[in-house]
Amino acid sequence: MALHGKVALVTGSTSGIGLGIARVLASHGAAIALNGFGDAGEIETLRRKLGDEFGVRVTYDGADLSRVSEVEALVRNTQNEHGGLDILVNNAGIQFTADIADFPAERWDAVIAINLSSVFHAMRVAIPGMKAKGWGRIINIASAHGLTASAQKSAYVAAKHAVVGLTKVAALELANAGVTANAICPGWVLTPLVERQLHDRARSKNTGFDVEKRDLVAEKQPMHEFTTPEQVGALAAFLCSDDARTITGAPLSIDGGWLAH
Ligand code: NAD
């Protein structure tokens, strides 16, 4: 229970990678603040089960991270409800795919707001409390697309590259404050975000979900295997450990060799 007594806010943790990270941090004893969208009843069941399973306090806040005021309130509410915030995992993200010439301006704004600006605003509000305590962990979920590009993903690739840069700035500013800032860069993880892309591909190519599932991974990753949300969670938990206290400013790939190309 290495994280007993620590409080972790995981944005976008009602599904996918965020939920996997929340589960692993809870299994190490951290109190958890969940955030994200979904059915209210299902989220309440999720909140209760997570707390019961690991014996930790779990709260939920449905803040919409496309709005600056809600990002600020999410961090402040977590600090107030839990008596502080030690671990900030900026995970919430959306995807939209189209060629640049066809990319709707409002989709660009939404991807940048949620995938990039919310990371900045959450760090801006959380950092003073971490510095005051002399301990903190900031973990930004970037992507392989924070280090390399794919066509039709202009907003996502721009946001994720910027998250990697922003993480490095935070690491420099916090280097001697007991606070580390790192970016995790996953390859393919089979979550609702990727399942939507697989259904779109199957529809446009007139193939099937399973064919696209195989081809999608093989196109980018030398290793033809999806990473699981729990594996990303395990890396996040390691970054919270004392052994990882000198790892900062690093983009950490967990991507089946994608970036080895
Ligand atoms: P997902 O769609 O399963 O989960 C996204 C989460 O973000 C959900 O909880 C959703 O409710 C929440 N969310 C979306 N918009 C929000 C908003 N405006 N305010 C608050 N919450 C919001 O997606 P995922 O695949 O688990 O992605 C999580 C993160 O991991 C994203 O940042 C994504 O870019 C990144 N990522 C995913 C993959 C992958 O292959 N799945 C790979 C690399 C990086």
Side-chain angles (χ1 to χ4, degrees):
M1 301 300 263
L3 298 179
H4 185 75
K6 303 291 188 204
V7 176
L9 166 60
V10 186
T11 69
S13 46
T14 51
S15 94
I17 293 172
L19 180 55
I21 294 171
R23 286 186 59 77
V24 177
L25 296 183
S27 78
H28 286 274
I32 302 292
L34 296 170
N35 157 259
F37 298 150
D39 176 80
E42 285 175 18
I43 293 172
E44 175 52 19
T45 305
L46 181 74
R47 187 194 69 74
R48 210 170 348 94
K49 277 190 176 164
L50 194 60
D52 291 347
E53 188 174 348
F54 299 110
V56 296
R57 179 149 184 256
V58 182
T59 57
Y60 166 72
D61 186 319
D64 178 350
L65 301 189
S66 66
R67 299 165 191 267
V68 179
S69 61
E70 295 196 27
V71 181
E72 293 172 341
L74 172 64
V75 176
R76 293 206 172 102
N77 291 342
T78 304
Q79 290 167 328
N80 291 338
E81 283 179 41
H82 288 268
L85 173 58
D86 307 289
I87 299 163
L88 170 65
V89 183
N90 286 303
N91 165 79
I94 59 169
Q95 177 61 283
F96 188 85
T97 56
D99 286 343
I100 291 173
D102 302 323
F103 213 94
E106 65 277 11
R107 288 287 92 203
W108 168 273
D109 288 344
V111 173
I112 298 298
I114 295 164
N115 295 19
L116 172 59
S117 300
S118 80
V119 178
F120 168 74
H121 295 300
M123 292 200 307
R124 180 170 60 78
V125 181
I127 282 171
M130 292 179 175
K131 283 175 80 171
K133 277 191 178 182
W135 196 95
R137 293 289 186 266
I138 296 168
I139 299 168
N140 296 327
I141 306 305
S143 169
H145 284 117
L147 301 168
T148 190
S150 293
Q152 282 92 45
K153 294 189 175 176
S154 52
Y156 188 87
V157 168
K160 295 298 187 181
H161 274 68
V163 165
V164 171
L166 180 60
T167 305
K168 292 178 183 176
V169 175
L172 294 178
E173 292 181 2
L174 298 167
N176 292 300
V179 182
T180 67
N182 291 289
I184 294 181
C185 299
W188 291 120
V189 184
L190 194 55
T191 66
L193 181 139
V194 170
E195 281 167 5
R196 282 190 287 276
Q197 294 177 58
L198 291 171
H199 285 300
D200 287 348
R201 279 169 63 118
R203 212 174 304 116
S204 71
K205 291 163 75 180
N206 204 20
T207 56
F209 183 85
D210 286 333
V211 173
E212 293 307 323
K213 191 173 145 188
R214 187 196 62 213
D215 290 356
L216 184 87
V217 176
E219 271 169 25
K220 301 288 186 184
Q221 293 190 190
M223 186 184 292
H224 298 168
E225 200 180 309
F226 285 93
T227 297
T228 67
E230 289 72 23
Q231 286 163 342
V232 180
L235 179 53
F238 175 69
L239 289 173
C240 294
S241 71
D242 197 47
D243 285 336
R245 70 185 179 280
T246 62
I247 301 177
T248 196
L252 297 159
S253 291
I254 175 165
D255 66 359
W258 186 327
L259 263 292
H261 279 305

